[in-house]
Structure formats: structure tokens, C-alpha cells
């Protein structure tokens, strides 16, 4: 992806894009991918970095949703299981089959969980990742050495998908870009343009780096801004009612040996009815999540003290070693863009994760709700509104068969896996310039060549883009990321031809962001 080349495409003020997408997270990228699969011209604008918000802060699971099945949302589970299977086929370098174990403490647990998971297996049909089965106490403890053995009968193993969310978002962006889409980060939509009849006909956008403004003509405008969807709806109509109910989920990152083994832990019902996961990911253990009602959407949400306490206390009940605040390497929070219920329930775990497409009087098409696993189907469903908006016949979607950028059947070993077929090219950079073979941080395998690659080919603009979403260090160990910022900024400044003043400002910005990922002493 070349940002400068993509910006040049906006200089033709007479060009009419088939689809203009606002938002570069899972939803917007899903729309862009499906649009290019139908041969449509697409321009996508993200005001921050790709997946800067919720889409890089997930539990890292591609799943049908065992708990949604328990809630009776069968259609959502079926849809998600189909999409899970397609993603594992189309992006094997970014996704994998993950075994989960549910600990069993009573005979009733064994009966109800076994029955539910057999139904889950059945619904996955030929896209199943493996059959669920009961295992003994001895096998459970062997596979999960860190699990609390007190009162343990055994465990139930089942299979779901795991992925790298920010890297997947990037791969989708690259795939759409290579197919001809104009994909841009750090480009803000400043206004919606309407014709004499009050129908949307384009956008005013601003490159936040150069401050230059562009007028964009578009046949269809899609609002895919996640938890910020209401801001665009109100830009279209100041009287528009709220459609989004933000729900915060936090995750704590611990050393992997707190659980041990390669299996993930799933606690199907905590004291307040939530589900808790402890998932091995990039050499660490990601534990979460919470489900806390928030009224205001923020680009950089912060974990509440009560959420941190809840996760630590719940995890302590299932682990032999009690995790403390001092053990937390990083804490990150994300806001789910749940569809706001019309009335009644404020329990966010009861609000459907199904997506919804809304068409305003002006013709603005808004995609709300949804979940990462179904991003492609969300895009497909949104594009089905194209003929209604434009009067133009639409080609069939082929996005379900698109192999995502970096696809390879020979997955590179170790941390190189997420780069897929590009891994060798990055390694070649380090061979040509041995200074780029140096590690970014001594505790992580990533090397400086990855920083160069991120800037040259992955549209990384800020230090945070590299350390949070291209290399996942901020998510995995916040202090390590803060310690690496100067080294990364210095190299980026060379690549981007920036001044020492830029380095200083970047380090200040990253310090402010990075500190939010550090666990604070209680009471501070």
C-alpha cells in the first residue's frame, strides 16, 4: 500500500466512486473487500490508523459464540461458524485452530456443557475444526498445568478459531488496495455532500497529515465507523436517534506460564453470568473479557478499576497461582458497537451481536453492530443495498473466496507467521542491511526490518502504528513497547524523512498512549 499514490487518486475531482466507505476497522474493511469483489470502485477513509479502535482490541477469537448459542441466537452462531471456516481457509497465516478446555466441577456441568458443545460441533458441519470430547482430570491437568485442581472432575475440549486482529485488518486493507481500492488512514471525513434533492452524493475529506482537503463524489456512502456510527448519522441528520450502545471489554495480559500448555481456558459462567477466556497468544496469555455499559465512545478507552479486579479475581479462582496487578504486562480496553436496544434491558451481554444495516432518508447506509468473525458477511449484506441506492445492477459477491494478502500454504515459523508470503522479503531486508537484523526489544523476536517494512508497505505513519498494530508489542508488554519507542521513532524518521522535532512529538504521543496500557497501582 502506498499512501501517496492513493492520495493522488483523490485529485481527480470529476471521478465518481461507486462506494465511499467511512471507517477502517473490521466493518469498513469488510465493505471495501466485498465491493472490490463485485468490481466496484471503492475509496475508504479512516481518521486514525486501520483497526485503531475496537478492531485491534478483541479477545483474538474467530468463533461462532458458544454463549450466543446458550442465549438461543442460533442464526448468528450458524453464520459465524460458516465465516470462521472461510477465514481459516483464506488467511491461514493469520488464523489457526485453537483447542479450548472448559473445566468441569460437577456431573451437571459435564452433561450441560457436553450437550451444548455437541450442538456447536453439529452446526459447524463440514467446517468443524474438531469434535468436542470429555477428558479426565489427569489429562486436563497435564494439558493445563496451571489450572486449579481443587474439586476438578475433568474437562471438555472443544475447538474454535484464533487470529491476530490488527494484522488481519491490515491484510484485508492490502487485499482491497491491490484489487484497486483507494485505502487511506489518517484521513478524516469533514462533511457529507448532498444534491438539490437532499440525497448524498459525496464527501469532503481531509488528509490529517498535510491538512489538504478533497471533494469526493460517490454513488453510495457507507458509514462503518463502529462505536462512532452515531456521529456520522448526526452529521447526516442532527436529529438522528442514537443507534449504538457501547459496551466495554477489557483484557489483561499475563505470562503464558500462568496456565501452561497450548490450550485456552474457557469459563462459561462467572459470578455475574459473563464468559471468561484465558487464551495463549503470541507467547503471552490474554485474559478477559468484561461487558460494561459505557455511554460515551472513546478512541482510546481505559480499563476501569472494577473491571481489572473482576478479571483478576475470576482468574484467581481457576489458577493455581493467583495473578496480581504486578503480574499484568499490559491491559487494553475496547468498545463493542452493539445495536442499542429500543427499550428495556441494559445488560449488555443480552444485546444481540448481530449486525444491522440502516438506510437514512439521504441514502446514507450505516452498518451497525456485528462481530469480527462475521466482518465479510457484514460487508456483503451492506453491498446488497447498492442497487436500491443507485438503481444500478450489482454483480454477485465473490469475497468469500478471496485469499487474503500474504496467503501461503507454507506458514513461516515463529512470529514470522503473520507475514505469510512476505516474511522472506522482510528477512531479505535484514540480510542486505545487518543493522536491521537487530531486535526491537531483547524480550521479543521482532527485528528492526519489520519497522522498515511497516513504513514502506503497510502504511504505518506513527510509532503507535508500528508498536501496537504492525508489531503487537504494546498489547503484549506495555513497558517493553515504551522502552522500544525511541529506537523505532529514530528509524521511522529516516524512512519518512522527518526532523528531530517529529521524533520528540511522536515519543510524547506514544508515552501518553502507552501509559494507558500499564496497570496502575490500586488507589492511584
Amino acid at each position: 500500500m502506498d499512501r501517496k499514490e492513493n492520495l493522488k487518486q483523490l485529485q481527480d475531482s470529476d471521478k465518481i466512486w461507486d462506494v465511499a466507505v467511512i471507517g477502517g476497522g473490521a466493518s469498513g474493511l469488510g465493505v471495501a473487500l466485498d465491493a472490490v469483489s463485485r468490481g466496484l470502485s471503492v475509496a475508504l477513509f479512516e481518521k486514525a490508523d486501520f483497526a485503531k479502535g475496537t478492531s485491534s482490541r478483541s479477545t483474538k477469537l474467530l468463533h461462532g459464540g458458544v454463549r450466543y448459542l446458550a442465549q438461543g441466537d442460533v442464526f448468528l452462531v450458524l453464520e459465524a461458524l460458516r465465516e470462521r471456516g472461510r477465514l481459516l481457509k483464506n488467511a491461514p497465516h493469520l488464523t489457526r485452530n485453537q483447542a479450548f478446555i472448559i473445566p468441569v466441577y460437577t456431573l451437571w456441568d459435564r452433561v450441560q456443557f457436553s450437550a451444548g458443545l455437541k450442538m456447536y460441533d453439529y452446526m459447524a458441519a463440514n467446517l468443524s475444526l474438531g469434535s468436542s470430547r470429555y477428558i479426565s482430570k489427569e489429562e486436563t491437568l497435564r494439558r493445563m498445568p496451571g489450572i486449579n485442581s481443587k474439586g476438578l472432575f475433568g474437562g471438555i475440549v472443544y475447538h474454535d478459531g484464533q487470529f491476530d486482529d490488527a494484522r488481519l485488518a491490515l491484510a484485508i486493507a492490502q487485499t482491497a488496495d491491490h484489487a484497486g481500492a483507494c485505502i487511506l488512514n489518517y484521513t478524516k471525513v469533514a462533511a457529507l455532500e448532498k444534491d438539490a434533492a437532499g440525497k448524498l452524493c459525496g464527501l469532503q475529506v481531509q488528509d490529517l497529515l498535510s491538512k489538504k482537503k478533497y471533494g469526493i463524489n460517490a454513488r453510495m456512502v457507507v458509514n462503518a465507523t463502529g462505536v462512532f456510527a452515531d456521529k456520522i448519522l448526526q452529521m447526516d441528520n442532527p436529529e438522528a436517534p442514537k443507534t449504538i450502545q457501547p459496551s466495554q471489554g477489557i483484557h489483561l495480559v499475563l505470562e503464558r506460564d500462568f496456565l501452561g500448555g497450548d490450550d485456552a481456558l474457557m469459563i462459561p459462567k462467572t459470578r455475574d453470568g459473563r464468559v471468561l477466556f484465558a487464551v495463549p497468544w503470541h507467547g503471552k496469555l490474554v485474559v478477559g473479557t468484561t461487558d460494561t455499559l459505557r455511554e460515551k465512545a472513546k478512541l482510546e478507552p481505559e480499563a476501569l478499576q472494577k473491571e481489572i479486579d473482576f478479571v483478576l479475581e475470576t482468574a484467581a479462582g481457576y489458577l493455581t497461582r493467583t495473578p496480581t496487578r504486578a503480574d499484568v504486562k499490559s491491559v487494553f480496553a475496547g468498545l463493542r458497537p452493539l445495536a442499542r436496544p429500543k427499550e428495556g434491558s441494559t445488560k449488555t451481554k443480552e444485546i444481540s451481536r448481530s449486525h444491522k444495516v440502516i438506510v437514512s432518508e439521504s441514502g446514507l447506509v450505516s452498518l451497525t453492530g456485528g462481530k469480527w468473525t462475521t466482518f465479510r458477511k457484514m460487508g456483503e449484506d451492506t453491498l446488497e443495498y447498492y442497487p436500491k441506492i443507485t438503481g444500478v445492477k450489482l454483480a454477485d459477491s465473490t469475497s468469500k473466496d478471496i485469499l487474503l494478502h500474504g496467503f501461503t500454504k507454507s506458514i513461516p515459523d515463529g512470529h514470522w507467521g503473520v507475514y505469510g508470503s512476505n516474511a522472506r522479503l522482510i528477512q531479505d531486508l535484514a540480510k542486505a542491511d545487518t543493522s536491521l537484523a537487530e531486535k526491537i526489544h531483547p524480550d521479543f523476536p521482532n527485528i528492526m526490518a519489520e519497522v522498515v517494512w511497516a513504513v514502506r508497505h503497510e502504511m504505518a505513519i506513527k510509532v503507535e502504528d508500528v508498536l501496537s498494530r504492525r508489531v503487537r508489542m504494546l498489547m503484549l508488554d506495555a513497558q517493553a513497547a515504551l522502552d522500544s519507542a525511541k529506537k523505532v521513532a529514530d528509524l521511522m524518521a529516516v524512512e519518512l524523512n522527518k526532523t528531530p522535532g517529529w521524533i520528540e512529538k511522536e515519543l510524547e504521543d506514544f508515552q501518553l498512549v502507552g501509559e494507558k496500557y500499564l496497570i496502575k497501582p490500586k488507589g492511584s
Side-chain angles (χ1 to χ4, degrees):
M1 292 193 298
D2 188 317
R3 193 171 185 278
K4 287 180 181 176
E5 288 300 313
N6 284 0
L7 282 167
K8 284 180 185 176
Q9 296 185 58
L10 305 185
Q11 292 175 0
D12 181 0
S13 58
D14 294 326
K15 180 179 174 72
I16 302 176
W17 298 87
D18 292 323
V19 183
V21 183
I22 311 171
S27 301
L29 292 166
V31 172
L33 184 72
D34 195 72
V36 296
S37 86
R38 300 173 189 260
L40 299 176
S41 61
V42 187
L44 178 145
F45 306 103
E46 165 55 50
K47 71 176 181 180
D49 185 30
F50 308 116
K52 155 73 175 170
T54 306
S55 297
S56 62
R57 303 155 188 266
S58 73
T59 314
K60 322 304 178 193
L61 302 181
L62 294 171
H63 59 152
V66 173
R67 71 186 175 109
Y68 308 141
L69 184 59
Q71 293 168 5
D73 205 341
V74 174
F75 178 77
L76 174 62
V77 176
L78 277 170
E79 183 176 79
L81 287 171
R82 277 197 302 270
E83 292 302 312
R84 180 192 73 176
R86 286 168 177 154
L87 253 177
L88 266 76
K89 177 173 65 75
N90 294 338
H93 56 306
L94 291 163
T95 63
R96 67 185 187 88
N97 185 336
Q98 173 67 59
F100 289 76
I101 295 178
I102 299 178
V104 170
Y105 293 95
T106 68
L107 180 60
W108 174 238
D109 281 350
R110 178 176 178 177
V111 170
Q112 66 169 338
F113 298 149
S114 293
L117 289 167
K118 283 300 176 190
M119 175 63 74
Y120 197 60
D121 295 343
Y122 175 76
M123 290 170 72
N126 62 335
L127 293 173
S128 172
L129 302 182
S131 297
S132 59
R133 65 186 181 92
Y134 179 77
I135 59 174
S136 67
K137 176 179 179 178
E138 291 71 28
E139 186 177 349
T140 303
L141 292 172
R142 179 178 57 78
R143 292 176 65 157
M144 280 185 170
I147 193 80
N148 190 342
S149 62
K150 187 178 179 182
L152 185 70
F153 277 34
I156 299 172
V157 180
Y158 75 100
H159 293 261
D160 243 325
Q162 193 204 69
F163 74 133
D164 187 316
D165 46 12
R167 295 292 318 181
L168 179 62
L170 185 66
I172 300 163
Q174 290 169 308
T175 305
D177 181 275
H178 298 337
C182 176
I183 306 288
L184 287 162
N185 57 0
Y186 295 102
T187 309
K188 180 182 179 181
V189 172
L192 303 177
E193 294 291 323
K194 298 180 182 179
D195 61 20
K199 296 297 182 182
L200 268 187
C201 58
L203 306 168
Q204 288 290 330
V205 304
Q206 183 181 30
D207 174 11
L208 294 177
L209 304 185
S210 69
K211 305 303 179 187
K212 187 174 179 180
K213 294 183 178 178
Y214 301 88
I216 308 299
N217 304 306
R219 294 182 174 88
M220 174 171 156
V221 176
V222 177
N223 170 18
T225 53
V227 291
F228 300 103
D230 287 338
K231 289 192 174 183
I232 304 299
L233 282 164
Q234 285 160 5
M235 189 185 287
D236 174 53
N237 173 15
E239 304 301 317
K242 289 187 175 183
T243 65
I244 298 296
Q245 175 59 71
S247 160
Q248 180 160 295
I250 75 149
H251 297 83
L252 305 183
V253 179
L254 304 171
E255 291 294 357
R256 188 163 173 170
D257 61 9
F258 266 91
L259 190 58
D262 297 323
D263 299 298
L265 173 67
M266 194 269 217
I267 309 302
K269 197 164 187 179
T270 59
R271 58 178 159 80
D272 65 352
R274 298 171 184 165
V275 170
L276 195 83
F277 291 99
V279 184
W281 189 68
H282 289 321
K284 303 290 184 186
L285 189 70
V286 177
V287 186
T289 181
T290 55
D291 213 344
T292 308
L293 196 71
R294 303 309 300 264
E295 276 309 308
K296 192 173 181 182
K298 292 182 179 180
L299 193 58
E300 195 63 66
E302 293 184 66
L304 303 175
Q305 296 301 325
K306 67 177 184 179
E307 292 181 296
I308 294 169
D309 291 341
F310 168 78
V311 174
L312 285 174
E313 288 167 11
T314 304
Y318 293 90
L319 301 175
T320 53
R321 282 170 59 203
T322 299
T324 67
R325 300 169 86 83
D327 294 313
V328 177
K329 310 300 287 184
S330 186
V331 53
F332 58 91
L335 295 174
R336 304 175 190 89
L338 303 186
R340 183 178 285 267
K342 290 182 180 176
E343 59 180 70
S345 177
T346 57
K347 291 183 179 179
T348 56
K349 63 178 181 289
E350 295 173 6
I351 301 174
S352 176
R353 266 55 173 175
S354 297
H355 59 277
K356 187 188 298 183
V357 181
I358 303 165
V359 181
S360 306
E361 285 185 23
S362 67
L364 175 66
V365 178
S366 296
L367 171 58
T368 65
K371 59 201 289 277
W372 236 126
T373 310
T374 57
F375 86 92
R376 189 212 62 83
K377 186 66 167 67
M378 290 157 61
E380 181 181 305
D381 290 350
T382 303
L383 262 297
E384 293 297 329
Y385 285 81
Y386 185 79
K388 299 172 188 174
I389 300 295
T390 66
V392 178
K393 190 177 178 183
L394 186 68
D396 290 339
S397 168
T398 59
S399 58
K400 69 179 186 297
D401 298 317
I402 293 177
L403 304 179
L404 296 184
H405 181 83
F407 174 89
T408 177
K409 291 183 177 178
S410 302
I411 311 299
D413 292 334
H415 85 283
W416 293 108
V418 296
Y419 293 104
S421 60
N422 289 321
R424 183 182 53 80
L425 300 175
I426 305 170
Q427 292 162 359
D428 287 346
L429 287 176
K431 288 176 184 174
D433 179 351
T434 54
S435 71
L436 298 181
E438 183 184 342
K439 284 186 175 184
I440 298 173
H441 188 280
D443 294 343
F444 284 82
N446 310 88
I447 62 174
M448 297 303 287
E450 294 172 65
V451 178
V452 172
W453 184 266
V455 173
R456 293 181 187 175
H457 302 287
E458 297 180 344
M459 224 180 270
I461 304 296
K462 297 174 69 64
V463 169
E464 183 198 337
D465 300 344
V466 172
L467 286 173
S468 181
R469 290 173 292 280
R470 306 305 184 276
V471 174
R472 308 307 308 274
M473 198 181 295
L474 181 60
M475 296 278 171
L476 297 166
D477 188 330
Q479 190 57 57
L482 286 164
D483 294 343
S484 305
K486 178 68 166 64
K487 184 189 284 192
V488 169
D490 288 346
L491 183 54
M492 289 183 74
V494 173
E495 286 292 317
L496 294 166
N497 195 26
K498 298 293 186 180
T499 64
W502 178 87
I503 296 174
E504 188 177 339
K505 178 68 165 61
E506 275 298 301
L507 293 178
E508 287 176 6
D509 289 351
F510 189 68
Q511 186 73 27
L512 288 172
V513 171
E515 285 179 351
K516 293 180 179 179
Y517 290 72
L518 290 170
I519 200 105
K520 296 177 180 68
K522 201 156 189 181
S524 66

